[in-house]
Amino acid sequence: MSARVHREDRGLAAVARVRGVRETDSRIGLQHVLAEEAALATRLTGLSATLESAGVDAVSTTSALVAQRTALANVGVLAREARTELASAEVVSAEARTRWGADRARLAAVELLLERRALRRRTEAGRREAREADDLAAQRWSRGRSEDTP
């Protein structure tokens, strides 16, 4: 949108500014949610890798075996919680992406309307200039004809 707004478009320009702010806010929100989702995915990957790489020593005491089993069970609980949080984050990010798309479309619609109005004014101004130029040419031609005629 140009810095100079036609006086007829002031209200629509204000709507465009508000929608621009909303679009920016929703884009920032989407980026934040996507970052959280990525962090949760990384955490889940790490917990899953810990569970997959856990092995049992060939010779171990009962207490060490119970402690290792308890630790792995806790990692499993954390992995399950991370999986649940990741599923929730995916839902939130999908909603945020939808909201951002809608805000972006609304802003584009207002900007398109402003552009069309500006184009219409430029077209009308061009037509007025052409009409004036035709009138001036006709007057000049008419004067030339009247000067040539005795």
Side-chain angles (χ1 to χ4, degrees), residues 20-38:
V21 169
R22 283 185 183 164
E23 187 272 337
T24 301
D25 287 347
S26 62
R27 181 174 31 88
I28 290 169
L30 175 61
Q31 290 170 342
H32 181 69
V33 168
L34 290 175
E36 286 181 11
E37 182 181 351

Side-chain angles (χ1 to χ4, degrees), residues 77-138:
V77 168
L78 291 174
R80 186 175 42 237
E81 289 173 356
R83 200 171 289 114
T84 302
E85 290 174 6
L86 180 59
S88 296
E90 288 170 348
V91 170
V92 171
S93 66
E95 174 61 30
R97 187 174 282 111
T98 301
R99 184 174 304 256
W100 173 63
D103 288 343
R104 186 177 57 172
R106 287 183 188 114
L107 175 61
V110 172
E111 288 176 342
L112 180 63
L113 184 56
L114 283 169
E115 289 173 13
R116 285 182 179 174
R117 285 182 172 186
L119 178 62
R120 188 183 70 226
R121 280 192 296 272
R122 285 192 302 269
T123 303
E124 286 299 319
R127 286 180 184 157
R128 275 193 308 271
E129 289 174 9
R131 195 169 36 247
E132 290 173 7
D134 284 347
D135 288 344
L136 290 175

